[in-house]
Amino acid sequence: GESVGLHLPTLSVQEGDNSIINCAYSNSASDYFIWYKQESGKGPQFIIDIRSNMDKRQGQRVTVLLNKTVKHLSLQIAATQPGDSAVYFCAERLNTGNQFYFGTGTSLTVIP
Amino acid sequence: NAGVTQTPKFQVLKTGQSMTLQCAQDMNHEYMSWYRQDPGMGLRLIHYSVGAGITDQGEVPNGYNVSRSTTEDFPLRLLSAAPSQTSVYFCASTKDRGLGYTFGSGTRLTVV
């Protein structure tokens, strides 16, 4: 299977600070990437996506950056709030199929 | 819309028993998938379907069967439960290959 890894398994930030969650992927043929948020006891929730023909995409308080040269993906959360505390997963999809490969997740804790 | 509905939410099985995890979506999504989530391993794809009557294997298909007789339903069958199948199972769906998946709330399965 594909290897999608996260650099840090846990991250703690102060409320109001910006958070950056990183993800490395291994296959240069991946063409579509998604960040998911998973709260305790719930299913993953779509946050933002980016296609391989882009290097940046912004949403509400979130930005995803894609660096295809080093096969790296990051999720930036602005003005982090207690409600952002969750596990964040990146997922990649090869351009040849419909299977998504997920990373192991980063647990984000927001300190009030 | 109810989204993606999974039943049951919790299940305990004895080794060797069989059961079916139910998944239904009311969004007319063509693509549906089953994932399992184990601690420290992220989500791994078991089986997926790109439309009624079409299914295919994912990363970890052994010990599981699926069928897709209707667009709405995508049940996952455990043929002979083993302790290694203790996990949280998520069903997900999407309308189009170019979009992210919507996940159900999961079924927590314990095999003793």
Side-chain angles (χ1 to χ4, degrees), chain A residues 25-75:
Chain A
Y25 65 96
S26 61
N27 199 309
S28 57
S30 294
D31 67 345
Y32 183 43
F33 305 86
I34 301 177
W35 279 101
Y36 284 93
K37 173 186 180 182
Q38 186 177 27
E39 297 173 288
S40 181
K42 298 183 178 180
Q45 179 185 8
F46 175 95
I47 301 174
I48 192 168
D49 60 358
I50 189 167
R51 301 185 192 282
S52 58
N53 60 353
M54 305 171 68
D55 54 19
K56 180 179 180 179
R57 189 152 191 242
Q58 289 183 293
Q60 187 176 9
R61 284 201 306 117
V62 294
T63 300
V64 55
L65 299 177
L66 175 63
N67 185 330
K68 295 180 287 295
T69 301
V70 295
K71 295 198 278 291
H72 184 267
L73 195 68
S74 68
L75 176 69

Side-chain angles (χ1 to χ4, degrees), chain A residues 32 34 36 38 41-44 46 51 89 93-104, chain B residues 31 35 37 40-43 45 48 50 57-59 90 97-105:
Chain A
Y32 183 43
I34 301 177
Y36 284 93
Q38 186 177 27
K42 298 183 178 180
F46 175 95
R51 301 185 192 282
F89 293 94
R93 187 195 69 189
L94 297 180
N95 60 7
T96 54
N98 193 51
Q99 296 190 52
F100 279 89
Y101 297 92
F102 283 77
T104 54
Chain B
Y31 294 81
Y35 290 87
Q37 185 174 32
M41 297 188 73
L43 288 90
L45 183 65
Y48 65 99
V50 299
Q57 296 181 349
E59 299 173 84
F90 288 100
R97 179 179 179 271
L99 300 173
Y101 276 80
T102 299
F103 281 79
S105 57

Side-chain angles (χ1 to χ4, degrees), chain B residues 1-24:
Chain B
N1 288 348
V4 179
T5 302
Q6 292 184 238
T7 56
K9 292 191 181 301
F10 302 93
Q11 183 70 50
V12 179
L13 288 178
K14 294 182 178 179
T15 297
Q17 287 185 316
S18 63
M19 79 159 295
T20 299
L21 279 62
Q22 301 292 343
C23 175

